[in-house]
Amino acid sequence: MPALHVPLAFRSMLAALPLVACAGRAAVHPRAAEEVRRGYAYLEVADPERAGVAFAHALEFDPQFPEALNGLGIVARREGDLDAARRRFERAVRLAPDFAEGHANLGETLLAASRAEPALAELRAALRIDPDLADARQNLARALLRRGLDAPDRPARWAEARREYLHLLEADPARAAAHHDLAFMDYSDGRYARAEAGYRRAAELEPRSREALHGLCISLVRLGRCAEAARACERCLEVAPGADACRTSLRGAHACE
């Protein structure tokens, strides 16, 4: 089972914000833009309290600033308040229907609230606006992967998920999560050589990923490459000494030798 973390989209907000009117969006107050940049910078260094204050301060200058509402939504989401996060993201996209990150974050929040159908609609809306929005693409792919795990039509759902992961790699070739999840699907369907290659690439990109290292280990066991498998599981235990799955698979690798 992959680690199905779903990311929030906000890094692009650190780029230039619209200080002049464009594409139907009103001009932004310079101080509001400055506070929003500060807010996202605080999020980058894991200081949600300061981020929340900065976003709220931005709204005092411009109460209709979607990027500030998006920032407050991210703060609420990180604090586990799904309802507050959803309301803020919904208001952001009502104010700016072309706001890709707002749709992406609303979709992620709806996924966390187990509202799969509206979540998929929001994620697809985000990608229609910005096909390269990697976080939205990853969340969409993982939602499709999860829906297919126990579904009778798993092959069709996973084929759709696979296409989304491949699109994701076009936008972000070094995204370890995409390589990991494609490898997970390959392993589940008995394509062990492809799974090994995918897990190996994920481990190269994230050398401390327990999930990638464990996937590499079990794929190598299936391929009869037992000594390599043991080394992968040993590395997994170095990264995560309490990982029972890696310890169990290491025993399997030694037995296979």
Side-chain angles (χ1 to χ4, degrees):
M1 179 70 182
L4 293 175
H5 166 72
V6 284
L8 291 161
F10 72 87
R11 290 179 180 84
S12 64
M13 294 293 96
L14 291 171
L17 290 163
L19 297 177
V20 297
C22 61
R25 300 277 291 275
V28 174
H29 192 290
R31 282 287 290 120
E34 179 185 352
E35 289 297 327
V36 164
R37 289 193 193 95
R38 288 180 180 177
Y40 287 109
Y42 288 135
L43 286 176
E44 286 277 16
V45 296
D47 191 347
E49 182 181 23
R50 293 291 300 276
V53 170
F55 294 131
H57 200 59
L59 289 172
E60 292 181 358
F61 290 102
D62 184 352
Q64 307 297 312
F65 195 4
E67 283 82 357
L69 290 162
N70 182 66
L72 285 175
I74 292 172
V75 172
R77 177 68 185 91
R78 289 187 172 184
E79 292 173 346
D81 191 341
L82 293 178
D83 192 51
R86 176 186 54 77
R87 290 196 308 270
R88 289 161 177 172
F89 294 138
E90 284 176 343
R91 187 176 169 207
V93 298
R94 279 199 303 271
L95 290 168
D98 62 342
F99 186 14
E101 287 85 355
H103 286 288
N105 290 335
L106 178 56
E108 188 279 337
T109 301
L110 291 167
L111 279 179
S114 300
R115 297 177 58 187
E117 290 303 323
L120 292 174
E122 291 296 332
L123 294 168
R124 288 181 170 123
L127 291 167
R128 283 195 297 273
I129 298 163
D130 182 359
D132 275 349
L133 193 58
D135 291 336
R137 185 82 67 182
Q138 179 176 319
N139 289 339
L140 175 60
R142 284 191 161 175
L144 293 167
L145 187 158
R146 282 190 294 198
R147 292 179 74 191
L149 277 172
D150 301 311
D153 60 343
R154 189 178 85 173
R157 291 190 183 276
W158 277 20
E160 187 179 1
R162 185 176 184 84
R163 285 193 298 274
E164 296 299 339
Y165 280 118
L166 293 175
H167 276 289
L168 175 58
L169 289 174
E170 288 300 310
D172 188 0
R175 178 150 303 217
H179 293 285
H180 172 278
D181 291 0
L182 285 167
F184 170 80
M185 289 192 288
D186 285 330
Y187 184 91
S188 299
D189 288 339
R191 296 187 291 266
Y192 301 123
R194 277 185 18 181
E196 184 271 338
Y199 281 129
R200 185 178 296 280
R201 181 59 178 147
E204 289 170 353
L205 292 166
E206 288 189 1
R208 298 190 62 80
S209 169
R210 176 182 66 185
E211 292 82 6
L213 290 164
H214 182 249
L216 179 59
C217 173
I218 59 177
S219 299
L220 288 164
V221 168
R222 290 286 190 171
L223 293 170
R225 294 160 60 183
C226 306
E228 290 179 77
R231 288 194 293 273
C233 267
E234 287 166 356
R235 176 61 182 148
C236 180
L237 287 169
E238 290 173 11
V239 168
D244 290 337
C246 297
R247 187 169 289 105
T248 299
S249 296
L250 177 59
R251 289 196 294 267
H254 286 318
C256 130
E257 285 184 287

